[in-house]
Amino acid sequence: MINICLLNLQVTDPMNISEPDSRFVFVREFILLGFPCEWKIQSLLFSLFLTMYALTITGNGAIICALWCDQRLHIPMYIFLGNFSFLEIWYVSSTVPKILVNFLSDKNTISFVGCFLQFYFFFSLGTTECLLLAVMAFDRYLAIRRPLHYPNIMNGHLCTKLVLICWVCGFLWFLIPIVLISRMPFCGPNIIDHVVCDPGPLFALACVSAPKTQLLCYSLSSIVIFGNFLFILGSYSLVLTAVLRMPSATGRQKAFSTCGSHLAVVSLFCGSLMVMYVSPGLGPSAGMQKVATLFYAMVTPLFNPFIYSFRNKEIKAALRKLLGSFNIM
């Protein structure tokens, strides 16, 4: 088993590397080591991850259907939430199916192209999620701090524009570093001691080092994670001061409920990301990398539907109405 620790990474810049030795046999596929353990434990993990994946798809899908069917919820706050749930479905689907397949496979291989496609979509969807969480915080800031101007400011045009910006910027943010990493020579070994294709293990497996590319990758990660996290904290700090001034106890409770749900999601997602991608020199061990990755790739998307639905009366009412239409309740 390869002990991959970001502290020991020796990476280099593919823009300045010399021509690789022609004697090298370049890898055409990688092996995702995952969780090497007994078959009984792997079967248990497979069942656990499959259940979590199914619940995530079902929960987020139910929120999308409920918001779609209830015309009263076709407002910016819930349009953002619907996009967020749609994003979560694709986010977990970019990695979890391959993780599940590897539990049932003896080889645990992923092609070179497949590895970098997973890398691209996983990071792009994660970046889009960070941006969308920031937009949702901005929406709550306007709704609570500028209630009279909110309908005119956050109209349908601005709402659509913000959603499109999140998706476009999310899919462009890591494009350059991923292309640069994919052009680095990988000449073996080809074992990635991780559950997904991640930049840290890929840098470690490269035949050459690329410090500029590594710095670019972690700088972009730090900007998107810390930048959005600080923006969200700033927005909710201003929201909190406005909520505390509200004369109505009911208004304060509703505002705290909505903002509390969002802050819980932000803390779960951004907190686990910070552990992984913003301190390459103090990176966690391979085991901790796997746990942290599973947390933000599987656990937070699973919790999000429950956090939003349990703390939001409108969504609970829409879900009851949706279930009632299928004669479930």
Side-chain angles (χ1 to χ4, degrees), residues 40-206:
K40 291 182 179 179
I41 298 178
Q42 290 210 357
S43 299
L44 178 63
L45 290 175
F46 173 81
S47 300
L48 175 62
F49 290 174
L50 179 61
T51 301
M52 293 174 64
Y53 181 59
L55 289 174
T56 301
I57 300 297
T58 303
N60 284 287
I63 289 180
I64 294 172
C65 293
L67 298 179
W68 181 271
C69 296
D70 196 331
Q71 294 291 330
R72 297 170 301 174
L73 301 183
H74 291 185
I75 57 177
M77 173 182 171
Y78 294 109
I79 291 175
F80 292 137
L81 179 56
N83 271 271
F84 186 74
S85 294
F86 177 75
L87 171 64
E88 291 287 59
I89 291 175
W90 288 105
Y91 184 59
V92 296
S93 298
S94 66
T95 56
V96 176
K98 184 59 180 177
I99 294 175
L100 294 174
V101 169
N102 284 346
F103 276 122
L104 304 177
S105 173
D106 294 328
K107 295 183 179 180
N108 295 355
T109 57
I110 183 171
S111 67
F112 185 91
V113 174
C115 181
F116 280 93
L117 281 176
Q118 183 191 74
F119 182 7
Y120 173 68
F121 282 105
F122 186 49
F123 271 61
S124 296
L125 291 166
T127 303
T128 304
E129 181 165 343
C130 286
L131 297 174
L132 193 54
L133 286 171
V135 167
M136 293 168 73
F138 176 65
D139 175 68
R140 291 302 84 205
Y141 164 80
L142 288 178
I144 295 174
R145 294 279 297 192
R146 300 287 187 271
L148 298 179
H149 302 285
Y150 176 75
N152 293 326
I153 298 175
M154 190 57 71
N155 51 37
H157 179 69
L158 179 60
C159 179
T160 303
K161 185 182 294 186
L162 289 173
V163 170
L164 289 176
I165 289 173
C166 289
W167 282 93
V168 173
C169 291
F171 275 79
L172 292 177
W173 190 257
F174 280 102
L175 182 60
I176 292 177
I178 290 175
V179 170
L180 292 176
I181 297 172
S182 69
R183 295 177 62 186
M184 295 172 64
F186 297 90
C187 48
N190 65 337
I191 300 175
I192 299 177
D193 191 5
H194 211 310
V195 292
V196 297
C197 290
D198 198 69
L202 287 171
F203 279 128
L205 295 180

